[in-house]
Amino acid sequence: MARHVPIRLAGMIAATVTCAAVATEAAAQDQDPSIVLNEQIQFGDVFAGQTLDVVDSSDQVTVSNSATGNSVAGGVQGGDMSVTSTQSMQGDVRAETTFVLGGDTEGVVSGVTQANGNYLGLSASDANLTVDSAQTVGDVEIVATSTMAEGNERLLGGAYIDASAIGNTAALGGERSFFDGSVTQTSGANIRASNFAATQYIPAEAEFTAQAVANVVSVTGTSVTGQNMTINQTSTGGIIDSGVSANAGNSWDLAGRANAGANRVVLSNQGGSVVATTRQDNASQIQSQAIVTSYDYGAATSYARGVANEVSVGNNDIYVEIDNAQINTGGVAVDARFAGTQGYDAYVGADAAGNVVTGFACADCAGYVDATNSQANSGNVSATAQTTVNGTNRAVVTGTNAVGNAATFYVSRSGN
């Protein structure tokens, strides 16, 4: 019998704004643009907790657990919208999920645990969207924790369990539209995501992941959408830590993946042009560790990744312009480990970097990339991997990569 524990939320501020024009596109262009002014300040702590206690479940087991300080969401269709948003998170945010699964769990076990400081989500369709956003997280704790610690779980249908902690998030997306504006994100928080699982038997695919990031900006456009964005990100918190420990007595396809970063920008487009000015500055310590153990195993994967500052700008059309500057003074330490006794294939990898930028355009469209890049890294960067097999094994594939500054600009054919 399942015992349900309610989610507890304290002090969450949320705003939702939607604008949908019912007139024709030509008529909508004659109208004044919709204007949204948003200001949110959260001083108190926000907590969400769940404990799932289930015995001999015959179907799927699904858990969603989220705690957010400030959130605003909106959209525009067939018109113009101007959004000015200021969000400040000055309290702790914690999301905790505990799994207690007795007997045989026959269905797939799915769990998502999220802790977020500030969130801005905007969409546009056949529209022009102008954004001026400022997000700030103070000297606080943002923590997401997922735990499956009994050690006797039998997950017959497999599992997909994720824990994610993010300070500031700005996500824009749409089709046949134009995005214009600026996003400024500042985080002074300690950000931690952990995912621990001790199980007995998993005769199916099982993946345990964790992600910790201070600042994230994502802009995605389809069907001839243009972008002109200026993005500034700063992280000064003491530590950004992501950890996964996935363990089983007998597993068929077990994976543990950890990812940590301070500042991340991902701009992608299917048409039109992309013009991006990005500034990233990190002083936080970045740590990422993945541990996977299984006595008997079919396939086992342990992968950890950590990048202080990261920018990716891509356009499946003609024009990409990037003006990028990255400074990293914080250390980056990444570690991936696997231990088993007898099995088939083991894959272990660790990637660490101070500053990374990638820009690309479409070669089939006679694409053009105009890039100006400045990167400075003074933090220590390390990537380590350890693989231990005490019995018989078929294949072991391991790799580590550590780099201070990496820049890649290219023009590629569609699908490459």
Side-chain angles (χ1 to χ4, degrees):
M1 176 69 69
R3 185 174 70 247
H4 300 286
V5 176
I7 297 177
R8 291 180 291 164
L9 291 176
M12 176 177 173
I13 305 175
T16 302
V17 181
T18 303
C19 172
V22 296
T24 64
E25 182 178 357
Q29 290 175 352
D30 293 334
Q31 299 173 357
D32 292 334
S34 298
I35 298 175
V36 177
L37 304 177
N38 175 64
E39 182 177 9
Q40 298 172 315
I41 303 174
Q42 174 66 25
F43 291 104
D45 297 341
V46 180
F47 172 73
Q50 283 202 45
T51 297
L52 190 72
D53 193 341
V54 178
V55 177
D56 289 329
S57 173
S58 62
D59 208 335
Q60 69 179 29
V61 175
T62 302
V63 178
S64 178
N65 186 20
S66 176
T68 303
N70 299 307
S71 176
V72 60
V76 56
Q77 180 178 356
D80 296 341
M81 175 180 278
S82 175
V83 178
T84 301
S85 176
T86 301
Q87 297 171 304
S88 177
M89 183 62 197
Q90 301 300 324
D92 295 343
V93 182
R94 297 180 183 273
E96 300 175 358
T97 303
T98 301
F99 294 87
V100 182
L101 305 178
D104 290 343
T105 304
E106 297 183 9
V108 177
V109 179
S110 301
V112 176
T113 304
Q114 298 178 325
N116 304 295
N118 297 308
Y119 176 82
L120 169 71
L122 300 173
S123 64
S125 177
D126 298 305
N128 295 315
L129 180 60
T130 301
V131 179
D132 183 0
S133 170
Q135 296 176 316
T136 301
V137 176
D139 182 9
V140 298
E141 299 284 329
I142 298 181
V143 180
T145 304
S146 178
T147 306
M148 187 182 296
E150 294 298 304
N152 58 2
E153 281 85 358
R154 295 170 57 84
L155 311 181
L156 306 187
Y160 301 92
I161 311 295
D162 177 71
S164 175
I166 302 177
N168 295 306
T169 302
L172 283 63
E175 58 184 3
R176 299 180 301 276
S177 298
F178 186 76
F179 297 99
D180 182 34
S182 65
V183 177
T184 299
Q185 297 176 322
T186 303
S187 173
N190 294 320
I191 299 175
R192 298 180 175 90
S194 65
N195 191 341
F196 176 79
T199 67
Q200 182 184 87
Y201 181 46
I202 314 180
E205 183 178 71
E207 185 171 278
F208 298 85
T209 59
Q211 176 178 237
V213 188
N215 301 306
V216 176
V217 174
S218 172
V219 183
T220 303
T222 61
S223 302
V224 191
T225 296
Q227 301 180 23
N228 183 9
M229 299 297 301
T230 298
I231 300 168
N232 292 274
Q233 297 174 317
T234 303
S235 178
T236 59
I239 190 169
I240 301 172
D241 179 70
S242 176
V244 170
S245 180
N247 311 276
N250 186 322
S251 65
W252 291 15
D253 188 356
L254 179 63
R257 295 182 173 88
N259 192 359
N263 302 307
R264 182 181 301 166
V265 173
V266 179
L267 308 181
S268 62
N269 223 47
Q270 293 298 317
S273 64
V274 178
V275 178
T277 300
T278 52
R279 301 289 183 264
Q280 296 178 321
D281 191 345
N282 173 60
S284 304
Q285 176 70 29
I286 311 298
Q287 294 182 179
S288 180
Q289 184 178 57
I291 299 173
V292 177
T293 68
S294 186
Y295 187 88
D296 296 310
Y297 59 94
T301 301
S302 178
Y303 177 70
R305 183 177 187 269
V307 179
N309 298 312
E310 183 174 13
V311 171
S312 175
V313 180
N315 188 19
N316 192 29
D317 208 328
I318 298 174
Y319 189 71
V320 171
E321 180 179 329
I322 305 172
D323 184 351
N324 178 64
Q326 297 169 317
I327 300 174
N328 177 52
T329 57
V332 180
V334 174
D335 182 42
R337 302 181 185 184
F338 169 73
T341 299
Q342 55 190 14
Y344 286 87
D345 304 323
Y347 306 92
V348 182
D351 292 320
N355 300 307
V356 174
V357 59
T358 303
F360 62 91
C362 169
D364 292 338
C365 321
Y368 179 77
V369 175
D370 184 354
T372 301
N373 182 51
S374 173
Q375 295 172 310
N377 178 66
S378 59
N380 296 327
V381 179
S382 68
T384 60
Q386 179 177 322
T387 305
T388 303
V389 179
N390 295 314
T392 59
N393 185 80
R394 183 171 67 181
V396 175
V397 179
T398 68
T400 58
N401 182 48
V403 60
N405 300 304
T408 305
F409 303 105
Y410 61 94
V411 177
S412 173
R413 294 187 179 278
S414 178
N416 292 334

